[in-house]
Amino acid sequence: MSSPTPEPLLEVRGLDVRFHVTGGSVHAVRGLDLSVQRGEVAAVVGESGSGKSLTSLALLRLIPAPGTITTDSSIR
C-alpha cells in the first residue's frame, strides 16, 4: 500500500502576467507552471528581462497597476 502523495507547498498552473497599455496588452509572463514540494529548494534563473521578478511579484500578488495576474488554477 502506497502512501498518499503530499500536497505541494507551492503550485501554480498557467500563470500569466499582463500589463494593459494603450492599444492592447503586453505579456510579461505567459503560461508558467510551477510546483514546489515541502523540503525542496527552487531557483528562478534567466536572462535580464525574462520575467523572474514579475513572476515572484505575481506569486505574492504584488503586481502593480495596470498589471493583471491570471492562472489556469489558483496559486496555493
Side-chain angles (χ1 to χ4, degrees), residues 13-66:
R13 297 283 172 245
L15 177 69
D16 281 322
V17 178
R18 295 178 194 215
F19 288 90
H20 301 282
V21 295
T22 304
S25 64
V26 176
H27 265 100
V29 178
R30 186 181 302 200
L32 176 82
D33 294 336
L34 178 66
S35 182
V36 180
Q37 298 292 328
R38 189 169 302 280
E40 284 185 326
V41 176
V44 179
V45 296
E47 295 182 10
S48 176
S50 64
K52 300 176 302 288
S53 296
L54 286 175
T55 295
S56 299
L57 289 170
L59 294 175
L60 296 169
R61 294 181 172 92
L62 296 175
I63 294 294

